[in-house]
Amino acid sequence: MNVKSYGPVSAVLLQVWLPVVLVLAWFLVSAQSTSVFWPPLTTILAAFGDWAASGTLWSSLAYSFGNYFMALILATVVGVAIGTAIGLMPRVGQVLSPYLDFFRTLPIVVFVPIVILTLGVGRGPKVFLIFLACVWPILLNTIEGVRSIQASVFETARSYRIPLALRIRRVVLPGAAPQIAIGLRLAISIGIVMLVVSEMYGSTEGVGHFILQSGQRFQLPETWAGTLLIGVIGWLFTALYMFGEHRVLAWTRQDAETRRSGRVSKGDKS
């Protein structure tokens, strides 16, 4: 069965048209709304414009996503490093398996009040909470990616006496790259959720703090503006990441097509 594949630009366009239609429908339906809880889209956009004009929008974005990218980079380094080590050592993986299963099923949100009360309300606790949320999908997918590499690949690398560091860099990480990419994609979305949640507890700045304060003051247009901004930024980050992933991991699709064509040619000969 042949499945039609789309390039990254076509894939984004296929995903964009429905949100555009929904926004237009929202604009038309809410135009005459007098509800405090469901303000017209024009009122929400006006509130967003006032937020941007006041200058607090840009400082909030700089604070929030400075923490976010710091935590995401740290989670990527730690998750890939520890995940590769566990994946290469099956016995260590068996020993740590119960602990990994325990912590990955434990909602990170439950740590928010504990971390805030313990570490305070500064930048550090926010980075730590986002790191905790992001590191697990990267770590677990790295382990699965390393374990999915065929044993014959490792045997060949050992037979050629390739040093361990070079083996990890040239064999293990490229082989686990598709699975690591899935973990990173999940971490991008989960990290944005934790960004907002962490700033709703004991924070004095950031987009999450703005959303919480606006809601507590019953400023619904501002609350909607902050919520929609987070959603748009999350979608934009995911779309940009998928575009980059499509370019970086193009060789994996070429290998898959080569293997598929090889199986087809063998079937024709038989």
Side-chain angles (χ1 to χ4, degrees), residues 8-224:
V9 177
S10 300
V12 170
L13 291 176
L14 285 172
Q15 295 176 5
V16 163
W17 73 268
L18 182 57
V20 170
V21 171
L22 292 176
V23 169
L24 291 175
W26 185 2
F27 175 79
L28 295 174
V29 171
S30 66
Q32 305 300 325
S33 175
T34 57
S35 172
V36 176
F37 302 101
W38 304 100
L41 183 58
T42 52
T43 305
I44 297 173
L45 294 178
F48 180 81
D50 294 338
W51 185 19
S54 68
T56 57
L57 168 62
W58 314 113
S59 60
S60 296
L61 288 175
Y63 177 81
S64 297
F65 288 97
N67 296 341
Y68 172 81
F69 283 113
M70 192 184 307
L72 184 61
I73 293 171
L74 183 61
T76 301
V77 173
V78 173
V80 171
I82 297 179
T84 301
I86 295 175
L88 290 173
M89 296 182 288
R91 292 184 179 178
V92 175
Q94 291 177 357
V95 173
L96 296 179
S97 180
Y99 304 98
L100 295 176
D101 292 337
F102 172 78
F103 282 107
R104 73 176 176 180
T105 57
L106 194 64
I108 303 299
V109 177
V110 302
F111 290 106
V112 174
I114 299 173
V115 172
I116 296 298
L117 290 173
T118 305
L119 301 180
V121 296
R123 181 184 293 268
K126 311 298 186 299
V127 174
F128 180 68
L129 286 167
I130 299 170
F131 164 80
L132 278 182
C134 294
V135 73
W136 288 107
I138 299 174
L139 171 66
L140 296 173
N141 278 279
T142 301
I143 294 172
E144 293 300 321
V146 173
R147 289 176 177 174
S148 66
I149 301 174
Q150 296 181 359
S152 59
V153 175
F154 291 108
E155 293 173 0
T156 302
R158 280 193 295 267
S159 65
Y160 281 100
R161 297 182 180 180
I162 299 176
L164 179 60
L166 183 60
R167 196 187 314 163
I168 292 174
R169 192 167 64 251
R170 296 291 187 178
V171 178
V172 177
L173 290 179
Q179 199 71 27
I180 295 174
I182 295 174
L184 281 170
R185 193 187 311 168
L186 293 173
I188 288 172
S189 302
I190 296 173
I192 289 179
V193 174
M194 182 52 66
L195 178 154
V196 176
V197 173
S198 66
E199 291 179 350
M200 287 183 171
Y201 285 85
S203 180
T204 58
E205 55 184 319
V207 180
H209 173 71
F210 174 83
I211 295 173
L212 178 64
Q213 290 294 309
S214 300
Q216 291 177 341
R217 295 169 183 168
F218 291 95
Q219 298 173 334
L220 272 300
E222 287 77 4
T223 306
W224 276 106

